[in-house]
Amino acid sequence: MSLNPANRPVIAVVGAGPGIGEAVARRFVVEGYSVALLARTEDKLQTMKQGIEADYGKGTANYYITDLRIEESVLASFQKIKTEMGPVDVLVYNAGARRVNGKMILDTTSEEFENFTKINLFGAFWSTKCVLPDMLAKQKGTILFTGATGALRGVPGLASFSPGKFGLRSLCQIITREYQPQGIHAAFIIVDAPVDGKLIGGVRRRQWAREGAQEKLDDIDAYLLQPEDLAETYWFLHTQKRSAWTHEIDVRPQKEGMFSKL
Ligand SMILES: NC(=O)c1ccc[n+]([C@@H]2O[C@H](COP(=O)([O-])OP(=O)(O)OC[C@H]3O[C@@H](n4cnc5c(N)ncnc54)[C@H](OP(=O)(O)O)[C@@H]3O)[C@@H](O)[C@H]2O)c1
């Protein structure tokens, strides 16, 4: 049975959580897409699917429980998506993970390095391999990777995070070099600031509350990146004309202290 009865174009949001992932999913669904949401936690995925379908109708969202650290899990999900929803037109690899409190190299175990690098990089490689054949058959497809400040420079404490994000950036450039002539538009979005989500945004909000920085809390969009605003960038990249494709873009809020000093 098709889970995409209206044959809408399909976007796969890999690493779909309530922040950037859901915001991007919604931005595409409002334009007529059906979204495949991939992550590990079923109750969160279910809530997201129900919320999107409540707003945009049945068949606009489905979820696929996936552990991006395991190749077979990624392959199985993409096979199901193809069978149940159709070939993927847009791939957004949004998963990324790091320790909130950094650790120096000598304190970072090999298991930790491997675990985070699998999420930050390997999952993107496997996901890309799953969607490329159908995109190439259509001579058309968009691949968007969510980057971070850590993709641009090494910072103490981020040994288990940055190497994966650097690699993700390079993978994105390689997709462009290898497949752009056949119609694939790949772009890397450098999210160079804290996002107003539960984890990092929550840490910042609590810190500012403790410090009595009320002006920041009252003007939050100037300090924390809003997922819905960032989602506009993903839609913009996807809808660019092919004579003027962007390969890399960086974003930060108005009063953010220029994290990476780009
Ligand atoms: N938040 C920030 O301040 C910030 C700043 C700069 C860059 N970024 C980048 O933004 C992206 C995340 O966006 P977000 O923070 O707004 O998060 P989000 O979209 O709310 O959620 C991302 C989801 O990825 C899923 N995920 C993590 N590991 C996974 C795995 N092994 N297998 C399957 N799914 C997995 C998690 O769901 P499950 O746990 O259910 O699997 C999580 O909910 C990352 O690439 C991150 O590096 C974030």
Side-chain angles (χ1 to χ4, degrees):
M1 190 191 74
S2 173
L3 296 182
N4 179 17
N7 271 328
R8 289 166 160 245
V10 175
I11 175 172
V13 176
V14 183
I20 300 172
E22 181 170 356
V24 171
R26 285 176 168 272
R27 185 64 187 85
F28 279 71
V29 168
V30 83
E31 300 289 347
Y33 279 72
S34 186
V35 65
L37 305 158
L38 287 77
R40 289 165 300 186
T41 318
E42 181 158 24
D43 57 339
K44 282 199 293 186
L45 286 166
Q46 207 162 36
T47 305
M48 230 179 298
K49 169 186 161 70
Q50 284 167 354
I52 293 172
E53 288 196 322
D55 290 343
Y56 302 108
K58 222 171 157 36
T60 53
N62 295 293
Y63 69 80
Y64 297 86
I65 300 166
T66 313
D67 190 335
L68 297 163
R69 297 168 297 184
I70 301 168
E71 183 173 10
E72 298 73 41
S73 175
V74 177
L75 300 188
S77 287
F78 276 99
Q79 265 164 14
K80 265 185 106 179
I81 293 168
K82 187 169 172 176
T83 306
E84 295 178 350
M85 299 180 69
V88 171
D89 298 283
V90 179
L91 169 69
V92 172
Y93 193 85
N94 182 62
R98 52 168 283 193
R99 291 181 56 80
V100 176
N101 301 312
K103 267 189 185 175
M104 302 286 270
I105 290 173
L106 288 177
D107 301 319
T108 302
T109 63
S110 302
E111 289 74 26
E112 195 169 15
F113 184 85
E114 183 178 342
N115 176 57
F116 284 123
T117 307
K118 285 221 165 125
I119 300 169
N120 294 322
L121 178 59
F122 280 60
F125 175 66
W126 295 324
S127 301
T128 301
K129 285 184 76 171
C130 287
V131 300
L132 265 178
D134 284 329
M135 289 183 175
L136 290 171
K138 286 188 188 172
Q139 296 274 292
K140 198 175 172 208
T142 303
I143 297 179
L144 304 174
F145 287 167
T146 304
T149 315
L152 299 183
R153 62 190 64 239
V155 171
L158 291 190
S160 59
F161 175 69
S162 253
K165 283 289 188 189
F166 263 72
L168 188 68
R169 184 182 184 212
S170 121
L171 184 65
C172 197
Q173 291 176 5
I174 292 165
I175 295 168
T176 295
R177 293 292 166 225
E178 291 186 349
Y179 298 108
Q180 178 164 298
Q182 288 115 285
I184 310 302
H185 178 196
F188 191 68
I189 299 101
I190 300 162
V191 181
D192 187 30
V195 174
D196 196 6
K198 254 194 185 154
L199 193 63
I200 309 285
V203 169
R204 287 297 165 101
R205 280 171 180 269
R206 288 192 293 279
Q207 178 196 337
W208 293 334
R210 276 198 309 276
E211 292 168 352
Q214 193 56 42
E215 79 285 357
K216 290 188 176 169
L217 295 167
D218 290 343
D219 191 19
I220 208 75
D221 292 14
Y223 293 93
L224 293 179
L225 223 148
Q226 300 302 309
E228 296 73 23
D229 297 340
L230 183 55
E232 292 297 332
T233 300
Y234 287 67
W235 180 251
F236 160 72
L237 288 167
H238 171 59
T239 51
Q240 283 183 320
K241 303 284 185 207
R242 67 186 169 138
S243 74
W245 276 350
T246 293
H247 297 127
E248 192 161 279
I249 193 164
D250 56 76
V251 284
R252 57 188 70 77
Q254 181 198 352
K255 294 183 184 173
E256 161 59 35
M258 299 297 275
F259 248 37
S260 71
K261 315 265 188 307
L262 276 174

PDB file of all heavy atoms in Angstrom, residues 86-120:
ATOM      1  N   GLY A  86       7.959   6.117  -2.616  1.00  0.00           N
ATOM      2  CA  GLY A  86       8.529   6.442  -3.931  1.00  0.00           C
ATOM      3  C   GLY A  86       9.960   6.930  -3.780  1.00  0.00           C
ATOM      4  O   GLY A  86      10.462   7.092  -2.666  1.00  0.00           O
ATOM      5  N   PRO A  87      10.637   7.156  -4.915  1.00  0.00           N
ATOM      6  CA  PRO A  87      12.038   7.579  -4.876  1.00  0.00           C
ATOM      7  C   PRO A  87      12.196   8.946  -4.200  1.00  0.00           C
ATOM      8  O   PRO A  87      11.311   9.794  -4.293  1.00  0.00           O
ATOM      9  CB  PRO A  87      12.435   7.686  -6.357  1.00  0.00           C
ATOM     10  CG  PRO A  87      11.311   7.147  -7.141  1.00  0.00           C
ATOM     11  CD  PRO A  87      10.108   7.022  -6.270  1.00  0.00           C
ATOM     12  N   VAL A  88      13.315   9.108  -3.546  1.00  0.00           N
ATOM     13  CA  VAL A  88      13.580  10.363  -2.823  1.00  0.00           C
ATOM     14  C   VAL A  88      14.057  11.444  -3.806  1.00  0.00           C
ATOM     15  O   VAL A  88      14.982  11.220  -4.579  1.00  0.00           O
ATOM     16  CB  VAL A  88      14.640  10.123  -1.718  1.00  0.00           C
ATOM     17  CG1 VAL A  88      15.103  11.432  -1.106  1.00  0.00           C
ATOM     18  CG2 VAL A  88      14.088   9.182  -0.648  1.00  0.00           C
ATOM     19  N   ASP A  89      13.408  12.610  -3.743  1.00  0.00           N
ATOM     20  CA  ASP A  89      13.795  13.736  -4.604  1.00  0.00           C
ATOM     21  C   ASP A  89      14.769  14.675  -3.901  1.00  0.00           C
ATOM     22  O   ASP A  89      15.607  15.308  -4.531  1.00  0.00           O
ATOM     23  CB  ASP A  89      12.547  14.544  -4.993  1.00  0.00           C
ATOM     24  CG  ASP A  89      11.564  13.701  -5.781  1.00  0.00           C
ATOM     25  OD1 ASP A  89      11.803  13.480  -6.976  1.00  0.00           O
ATOM     26  OD2 ASP A  89      10.572  13.217  -5.175  1.00  0.00           O
ATOM     27  N   VAL A  90      14.601  14.786  -2.576  1.00  0.00           N
ATOM     28  CA  VAL A  90      15.449  15.691  -1.783  1.00  0.00           C
ATOM     29  C   VAL A  90      15.934  14.933  -0.556  1.00  0.00           C
ATOM     30  O   VAL A  90      15.128  14.359   0.188  1.00  0.00           O
ATOM     31  CB  VAL A  90      14.661  16.943  -1.322  1.00  0.00           C
ATOM     32  CG1 VAL A  90      15.550  17.863  -0.489  1.00  0.00           C
ATOM     33  CG2 VAL A  90      14.087  17.697  -2.511  1.00  0.00           C
ATOM     34  N   LEU A  91      17.258  14.934  -0.370  1.00  0.00           N
ATOM     35  CA  LEU A  91      17.831  14.324   0.837  1.00  0.00           C
ATOM     36  C   LEU A  91      18.384  15.438   1.720  1.00  0.00           C
ATOM     37  O   LEU A  91      19.200  16.248   1.274  1.00  0.00           O
ATOM     38  CB  LEU A  91      18.982  13.379   0.462  1.00  0.00           C
ATOM     39  CG  LEU A  91      19.830  12.879   1.644  1.00  0.00           C
ATOM     40  CD1 LEU A  91      19.037  11.911   2.534  1.00  0.00           C
ATOM     41  CD2 LEU A  91      21.107  12.186   1.140  1.00  0.00           C
ATOM     42  N   VAL A  92      17.916  15.468   2.970  1.00  0.00           N
ATOM     43  CA  VAL A  92      18.493  16.394   3.949  1.00  0.00           C
ATOM     44  C   VAL A  92      19.147  15.552   5.027  1.00  0.00           C
ATOM     45  O   VAL A  92      18.461  14.806   5.739  1.00  0.00           O
ATOM     46  CB  VAL A  92      17.411  17.315   4.557  1.00  0.00           C
ATOM     47  CG1 VAL A  92      17.983  18.139   5.711  1.00  0.00           C
ATOM     48  CG2 VAL A  92      16.842  18.238   3.488  1.00  0.00           C
ATOM     49  N   TYR A  93      20.466  15.615   5.106  1.00  0.00           N
ATOM     50  CA  TYR A  93      21.147  14.881   6.189  1.00  0.00           C
ATOM     51  C   TYR A  93      21.386  15.869   7.321  1.00  0.00           C
ATOM     52  O   TYR A  93      22.269  16.725   7.250  1.00  0.00           O
ATOM     53  CB  TYR A  93      22.467  14.258   5.722  1.00  0.00           C
ATOM     54  CG  TYR A  93      22.961  13.257   6.747  1.00  0.00           C
ATOM     55  CD1 TYR A  93      22.499  11.938   6.735  1.00  0.00           C
ATOM     56  CD2 TYR A  93      23.819  13.634   7.783  1.00  0.00           C
ATOM     57  CE1 TYR A  93      22.885  11.025   7.700  1.00  0.00           C
ATOM     58  CE2 TYR A  93      24.212  12.720   8.756  1.00  0.00           C
ATOM     59  CZ  TYR A  93      23.744  11.420   8.709  1.00  0.00           C
ATOM     60  OH  TYR A  93      24.122  10.517   9.674  1.00  0.00           O
ATOM     61  N   ASN A  94      20.591  15.727   8.353  1.00  0.00           N
ATOM     62  CA  ASN A  94      20.588  16.710   9.444  1.00  0.00           C
ATOM     63  C   ASN A  94      21.141  16.151  10.746  1.00  0.00           C
ATOM     64  O   ASN A  94      21.350  16.904  11.702  1.00  0.00           O
ATOM     65  CB  ASN A  94      19.138  17.203   9.642  1.00  0.00           C
ATOM     66  CG  ASN A  94      19.031  18.250  10.721  1.00  0.00           C
ATOM     67  OD1 ASN A  94      19.618  19.321  10.601  1.00  0.00           O
ATOM     68  ND2 ASN A  94      18.311  17.954  11.798  1.00  0.00           N
ATOM     69  N   ALA A  95      21.373  14.843  10.791  1.00  0.00           N
ATOM     70  CA  ALA A  95      21.844  14.272  12.063  1.00  0.00           C
ATOM     71  C   ALA A  95      23.239  14.797  12.383  1.00  0.00           C
ATOM     72  O   ALA A  95      24.068  14.997  11.501  1.00  0.00           O
ATOM     73  CB  ALA A  95      21.862  12.752  11.974  1.00  0.00           C
ATOM     74  N   GLY A  96      23.460  15.030  13.633  1.00  0.00           N
ATOM     75  CA  GLY A  96      24.771  15.467  14.087  1.00  0.00           C
ATOM     76  C   GLY A  96      24.780  15.299  15.587  1.00  0.00           C
ATOM     77  O   GLY A  96      23.752  15.490  16.233  1.00  0.00           O
ATOM     78  N   ALA A  97      25.898  14.881  16.131  1.00  0.00           N
ATOM     79  CA  ALA A  97      25.925  14.682  17.577  1.00  0.00           C
ATOM     80  C   ALA A  97      27.313  14.971  18.114  1.00  0.00           C
ATOM     81  O   ALA A  97      28.321  14.766  17.438  1.00  0.00           O
ATOM     82  CB  ALA A  97      25.503  13.249  17.911  1.00  0.00           C
ATOM     83  N   ARG A  98      27.321  15.479  19.334  1.00  0.00           N
ATOM     84  CA  ARG A  98      28.582  15.805  20.004  1.00  0.00           C
ATOM     85  C   ARG A  98      28.357  15.789  21.505  1.00  0.00           C
ATOM     86  O   ARG A  98      27.214  15.818  21.970  1.00  0.00           O
ATOM     87  CB  ARG A  98      29.064  17.193  19.596  1.00  0.00           C
ATOM     88  CG  ARG A  98      28.008  18.264  19.772  1.00  0.00           C
ATOM     89  CD  ARG A  98      28.550  19.657  19.651  1.00  0.00           C
ATOM     90  NE  ARG A  98      29.261  20.048  20.859  1.00  0.00           N
ATOM     91  CZ  ARG A  98      29.627  21.299  21.141  1.00  0.00           C
ATOM     92  NH1 ARG A  98      29.363  22.254  20.281  1.00  0.00           N
ATOM     93  NH2 ARG A  98      30.238  21.594  22.251  1.00  0.00           N
ATOM     94  N   ARG A  99      29.439  15.746  22.254  1.00  0.00           N
ATOM     95  CA  ARG A  99      29.327  15.923  23.697  1.00  0.00           C
ATOM     96  C   ARG A  99      29.050  17.389  23.972  1.00  0.00           C
ATOM     97  O   ARG A  99      29.623  18.258  23.307  1.00  0.00           O
ATOM     98  CB  ARG A  99      30.660  15.568  24.362  1.00  0.00           C
ATOM     99  CG  ARG A  99      31.027  14.111  24.322  1.00  0.00           C
ATOM    100  CD  ARG A  99      32.344  13.934  25.050  1.00  0.00           C
ATOM    101  NE  ARG A  99      32.265  14.450  26.414  1.00  0.00           N
ATOM    102  CZ  ARG A  99      31.721  13.792  27.429  1.00  0.00           C
ATOM    103  NH1 ARG A  99      31.247  12.592  27.258  1.00  0.00           N
ATOM    104  NH2 ARG A  99      31.654  14.331  28.632  1.00  0.00           N
ATOM    105  N   VAL A 100      28.168  17.666  24.927  1.00  0.00           N
ATOM    106  CA  VAL A 100      27.914  19.076  25.262  1.00  0.00           C
ATOM    107  C   VAL A 100      29.166  19.659  25.919  1.00  0.00           C
ATOM    108  O   VAL A 100      29.614  20.752  25.588  1.00  0.00           O
ATOM    109  CB  VAL A 100      26.678  19.212  26.184  1.00  0.00           C
ATOM    110  CG1 VAL A 100      26.481  20.666  26.594  1.00  0.00           C
ATOM    111  CG2 VAL A 100      25.437  18.714  25.455  1.00  0.00           C
ATOM    112  N   ASN A 101      29.756  18.898  26.830  1.00  0.00           N
ATOM    113  CA  ASN A 101      31.014  19.349  27.429  1.00  0.00           C
ATOM    114  C   ASN A 101      32.158  18.642  26.708  1.00  0.00           C
ATOM    115  O   ASN A 101      32.235  17.412  26.734  1.00  0.00           O
ATOM    116  CB  ASN A 101      31.061  19.001  28.919  1.00  0.00           C
ATOM    117  CG  ASN A 101      29.901  19.656  29.649  1.00  0.00           C
ATOM    118  OD1 ASN A 101      29.644  20.842  29.467  1.00  0.00           O
ATOM    119  ND2 ASN A 101      29.170  18.875  30.434  1.00  0.00           N
ATOM    120  N   GLY A 102      33.006  19.415  26.073  1.00  0.00           N
ATOM    121  CA  GLY A 102      34.068  18.837  25.260  1.00  0.00           C
ATOM    122  C   GLY A 102      35.065  18.011  26.075  1.00  0.00           C
ATOM    123  O   GLY A 102      35.130  18.090  27.297  1.00  0.00           O
ATOM    124  N   LYS A 103      35.819  17.181  25.355  1.00  0.00           N
ATOM    125  CA  LYS A 103      36.864  16.361  25.975  1.00  0.00           C
ATOM    126  C   LYS A 103      38.112  16.462  25.126  1.00  0.00           C
ATOM    127  O   LYS A 103      38.027  16.416  23.886  1.00  0.00           O
ATOM    128  CB  LYS A 103      36.428  14.891  25.965  1.00  0.00           C
ATOM    129  CG  LYS A 103      35.716  14.415  27.207  1.00  0.00           C
ATOM    130  CD  LYS A 103      35.592  12.908  27.080  1.00  0.00           C
ATOM    131  CE  LYS A 103      34.792  12.287  28.199  1.00  0.00           C
ATOM    132  NZ  LYS A 103      34.605  10.853  27.967  1.00  0.00           N
ATOM    133  N   MET A 104      39.261  16.559  25.781  1.00  0.00           N
ATOM    134  CA  MET A 104      40.534  16.571  25.055  1.00  0.00           C
ATOM    135  C   MET A 104      40.765  15.196  24.416  1.00  0.00           C
ATOM    136  O   MET A 104      40.183  14.187  24.842  1.00  0.00           O
ATOM    137  CB  MET A 104      41.675  16.894  26.020  1.00  0.00           C
ATOM    138  CG  MET A 104      41.513  18.225  26.738  1.00  0.00           C
ATOM    139  SD  MET A 104      41.819  19.629  25.681  1.00  0.00           S
ATOM    140  CE  MET A 104      43.587  19.814  25.964  1.00  0.00           C
ATOM    141  N   ILE A 105      41.656  15.162  23.437  1.00  0.00           N
ATOM    142  CA  ILE A 105      41.915  13.912  22.699  1.00  0.00           C
ATOM    143  C   ILE A 105      42.282  12.767  23.643  1.00  0.00           C
ATOM    144  O   ILE A 105      41.761  11.655  23.521  1.00  0.00           O
ATOM    145  CB  ILE A 105      43.035  14.126  21.658  1.00  0.00           C
ATOM    146  CG1 ILE A 105      42.529  15.024  20.522  1.00  0.00           C
ATOM    147  CG2 ILE A 105      43.524  12.785  21.091  1.00  0.00           C
ATOM    148  CD1 ILE A 105      43.592  15.453  19.527  1.00  0.00           C
ATOM    149  N   LEU A 106      43.155  13.037  24.593  1.00  0.00           N
ATOM    150  CA  LEU A 106      43.607  11.948  25.466  1.00  0.00           C
ATOM    151  C   LEU A 106      42.495  11.417  26.369  1.00  0.00           C
ATOM    152  O   LEU A 106      42.604  10.318  26.899  1.00  0.00           O
ATOM    153  CB  LEU A 106      44.803  12.405  26.317  1.00  0.00           C
ATOM    154  CG  LEU A 106      46.115  12.566  25.534  1.00  0.00           C
ATOM    155  CD1 LEU A 106      47.223  13.094  26.437  1.00  0.00           C
ATOM    156  CD2 LEU A 106      46.538  11.245  24.887  1.00  0.00           C
ATOM    157  N   ASP A 107      41.436  12.180  26.515  1.00  0.00           N
ATOM    158  CA  ASP A 107      40.295  11.716  27.316  1.00  0.00           C
ATOM    159  C   ASP A 107      39.177  11.141  26.451  1.00  0.00           C
ATOM    160  O   ASP A 107      38.138  10.721  26.967  1.00  0.00           O
ATOM    161  CB  ASP A 107      39.734  12.883  28.147  1.00  0.00           C
ATOM    162  CG  ASP A 107      40.790  13.454  29.077  1.00  0.00           C
ATOM    163  OD1 ASP A 107      41.538  12.648  29.667  1.00  0.00           O
ATOM    164  OD2 ASP A 107      40.888  14.696  29.181  1.00  0.00           O
ATOM    165  N   THR A 108      39.364  11.188  25.147  1.00  0.00           N
ATOM    166  CA  THR A 108      38.326  10.705  24.231  1.00  0.00           C
ATOM    167  C   THR A 108      38.621   9.257  23.863  1.00  0.00           C
ATOM    168  O   THR A 108      39.698   8.948  23.349  1.00  0.00           O
ATOM    169  CB  THR A 108      38.311  11.561  22.935  1.00  0.00           C
ATOM    170  OG1 THR A 108      38.086  12.931  23.305  1.00  0.00           O
ATOM    171  CG2 THR A 108      37.230  11.110  21.979  1.00  0.00           C
ATOM    172  N   THR A 109      37.667   8.393  24.126  1.00  0.00           N
ATOM    173  CA  THR A 109      37.899   6.975  23.810  1.00  0.00           C
ATOM    174  C   THR A 109      37.674   6.730  22.314  1.00  0.00           C
ATOM    175  O   THR A 109      36.980   7.501  21.637  1.00  0.00           O
ATOM    176  CB  THR A 109      36.916   6.061  24.583  1.00  0.00           C
ATOM    177  OG1 THR A 109      35.585   6.384  24.144  1.00  0.00           O
ATOM    178  CG2 THR A 109      37.031   6.264  26.090  1.00  0.00           C
ATOM    179  N   SER A 110      38.238   5.638  21.848  1.00  0.00           N
ATOM    180  CA  SER A 110      38.050   5.269  20.435  1.00  0.00           C
ATOM    181  C   SER A 110      36.575   5.009  20.156  1.00  0.00           C
ATOM    182  O   SER A 110      36.063   5.343  19.086  1.00  0.00           O
ATOM    183  CB  SER A 110      38.844   4.006  20.105  1.00  0.00           C
ATOM    184  OG  SER A 110      40.197   4.223  20.393  1.00  0.00           O
ATOM    185  N   GLU A 111      35.879   4.423  21.152  1.00  0.00           N
ATOM    186  CA  GLU A 111      34.453   4.108  20.959  1.00  0.00           C
ATOM    187  C   GLU A 111      33.662   5.408  20.757  1.00  0.00           C
ATOM    188  O   GLU A 111      32.779   5.480  19.902  1.00  0.00           O
ATOM    189  CB  GLU A 111      33.890   3.368  22.180  1.00  0.00           C
ATOM    190  CG  GLU A 111      34.376   1.949  22.350  1.00  0.00           C
ATOM    191  CD  GLU A 111      35.834   1.861  22.841  1.00  0.00           C
ATOM    192  OE1 GLU A 111      36.312   2.817  23.498  1.00  0.00           O
ATOM    193  OE2 GLU A 111      36.494   0.862  22.536  1.00  0.00           O
ATOM    194  N   GLU A 112      34.014   6.404  21.557  1.00  0.00           N
ATOM    195  CA  GLU A 112      33.294   7.673  21.458  1.00  0.00           C
ATOM    196  C   GLU A 112      33.570   8.336  20.101  1.00  0.00           C
ATOM    197  O   GLU A 112      32.672   8.855  19.441  1.00  0.00           O
ATOM    198  CB  GLU A 112      33.776   8.584  22.589  1.00  0.00           C
ATOM    199  CG  GLU A 112      32.885   9.759  22.823  1.00  0.00           C
ATOM    200  CD  GLU A 112      33.252  10.483  24.119  1.00  0.00           C
ATOM    201  OE1 GLU A 112      34.341  10.239  24.671  1.00  0.00           O
ATOM    202  OE2 GLU A 112      32.449  11.300  24.546  1.00  0.00           O
ATOM    203  N   PHE A 113      34.828   8.308  19.698  1.00  0.00           N
ATOM    204  CA  PHE A 113      35.215   8.885  18.408  1.00  0.00           C
ATOM    205  C   PHE A 113      34.441   8.196  17.285  1.00  0.00           C
ATOM    206  O   PHE A 113      33.874   8.849  16.411  1.00  0.00           O
ATOM    207  CB  PHE A 113      36.733   8.725  18.205  1.00  0.00           C
ATOM    208  CG  PHE A 113      37.243   9.381  16.958  1.00  0.00           C
ATOM    209  CD1 PHE A 113      37.575  10.723  16.953  1.00  0.00           C
ATOM    210  CD2 PHE A 113      37.376   8.654  15.779  1.00  0.00           C
ATOM    211  CE1 PHE A 113      38.033  11.336  15.787  1.00  0.00           C
ATOM    212  CE2 PHE A 113      37.827   9.250  14.606  1.00  0.00           C
ATOM    213  CZ  PHE A 113      38.165  10.596  14.620  1.00  0.00           C
ATOM    214  N   GLU A 114      34.390   6.882  17.355  1.00  0.00           N
ATOM    215  CA  GLU A 114      33.712   6.115  16.306  1.00  0.00           C
ATOM    216  C   GLU A 114      32.201   6.376  16.319  1.00  0.00           C
ATOM    217  O   GLU A 114      31.581   6.602  15.276  1.00  0.00           O
ATOM    218  CB  GLU A 114      33.987   4.617  16.504  1.00  0.00           C
ATOM    219  CG  GLU A 114      33.381   3.769  15.415  1.00  0.00           C
ATOM    220  CD  GLU A 114      33.700   2.279  15.577  1.00  0.00           C
ATOM    221  OE1 GLU A 114      34.650   1.937  16.308  1.00  0.00           O
ATOM    222  OE2 GLU A 114      32.971   1.475  14.983  1.00  0.00           O
ATOM    223  N   ASN A 115      31.630   6.382  17.504  1.00  0.00           N
ATOM    224  CA  ASN A 115      30.188   6.580  17.642  1.00  0.00           C
ATOM    225  C   ASN A 115      29.746   7.914  17.020  1.00  0.00           C
ATOM    226  O   ASN A 115      28.837   7.963  16.188  1.00  0.00           O
ATOM    227  CB  ASN A 115      29.834   6.554  19.136  1.00  0.00           C
ATOM    228  CG  ASN A 115      28.371   6.842  19.382  1.00  0.00           C
ATOM    229  OD1 ASN A 115      27.502   6.161  18.866  1.00  0.00           O
ATOM    230  ND2 ASN A 115      28.094   7.888  20.149  1.00  0.00           N
ATOM    231  N   PHE A 116      30.405   8.990  17.405  1.00  0.00           N
ATOM    232  CA  PHE A 116      29.990  10.300  16.884  1.00  0.00           C
ATOM    233  C   PHE A 116      30.309  10.432  15.392  1.00  0.00           C
ATOM    234  O   PHE A 116      29.530  11.023  14.635  1.00  0.00           O
ATOM    235  CB  PHE A 116      30.666  11.430  17.678  1.00  0.00           C
ATOM    236  CG  PHE A 116      30.050  11.643  19.036  1.00  0.00           C
ATOM    237  CD1 PHE A 116      30.806  11.570  20.190  1.00  0.00           C
ATOM    238  CD2 PHE A 116      28.700  11.935  19.162  1.00  0.00           C
ATOM    239  CE1 PHE A 116      30.237  11.771  21.449  1.00  0.00           C
ATOM    240  CE2 PHE A 116      28.113  12.137  20.413  1.00  0.00           C
ATOM    241  CZ  PHE A 116      28.885  12.054  21.556  1.00  0.00           C
ATOM    242  N   THR A 117      31.441   9.879  14.979  1.00  0.00           N
ATOM    243  CA  THR A 117      31.804  10.014  13.564  1.00  0.00           C
ATOM    244  C   THR A 117      30.839   9.233  12.682  1.00  0.00           C
ATOM    245  O   THR A 117      30.537   9.640  11.556  1.00  0.00           O
ATOM    246  CB  THR A 117      33.265   9.570  13.333  1.00  0.00           C
ATOM    247  OG1 THR A 117      34.087  10.290  14.252  1.00  0.00           O
ATOM    248  CG2 THR A 117      33.725   9.877  11.920  1.00  0.00           C
ATOM    249  N   LYS A 118      30.331   8.143  13.202  1.00  0.00           N
ATOM    250  CA  LYS A 118      29.337   7.383  12.423  1.00  0.00           C
ATOM    251  C   LYS A 118      28.089   8.239  12.199  1.00  0.00           C
ATOM    252  O   LYS A 118      27.532   8.267  11.115  1.00  0.00           O
ATOM    253  CB  LYS A 118      28.982   6.087  13.152  1.00  0.00           C
ATOM    254  CG  LYS A 118      30.101   5.051  13.026  1.00  0.00           C
ATOM    255  CD  LYS A 118      29.522   3.674  12.798  1.00  0.00           C
ATOM    256  CE  LYS A 118      30.575   2.721  12.313  1.00  0.00           C
ATOM    257  NZ  LYS A 118      30.672   1.522  13.144  1.00  0.00           N
ATOM    258  N   ILE A 119      27.666   8.942  13.248  1.00  0.00           N
ATOM    259  CA  ILE A 119      26.456   9.779  13.110  1.00  0.00           C
ATOM    260  C   ILE A 119      26.742  10.979  12.205  1.00  0.00           C
ATOM    261  O   ILE A 119      25.957  11.319  11.323  1.00  0.00           O
ATOM    262  CB  ILE A 119      25.977  10.280  14.495  1.00  0.00           C
ATOM    263  CG1 ILE A 119      25.633   9.096  15.397  1.00  0.00           C
ATOM    264  CG2 ILE A 119      24.778  11.219  14.342  1.00  0.00           C
ATOM    265  CD1 ILE A 119      25.409   9.469  16.852  1.00  0.00           C
ATOM    266  N   ASN A 120      27.884  11.613  12.434  1.00  0.00           N
ATOM    267  CA  ASN A 120      28.165  12.870  11.727  1.00  0.00           C
ATOM    268  C   ASN A 120      28.568  12.676  10.274  1.00  0.00           C
ATOM    269  O   ASN A 120      28.408  13.596   9.473  1.00  0.00           O
ATOM    270  CB  ASN A 120      29.272  13.644  12.466  1.00  0.00           C
ATOM    271  CG  ASN A 120      28.804  14.105  13.839  1.00  0.00           C
ATOM    272  OD1 ASN A 120      27.649  14.508  14.000  1.00  0.00           O
ATOM    273  ND2 ASN A 120      29.673  14.025  14.837  1.00  0.00           N
TER     274      ASN A 120
END
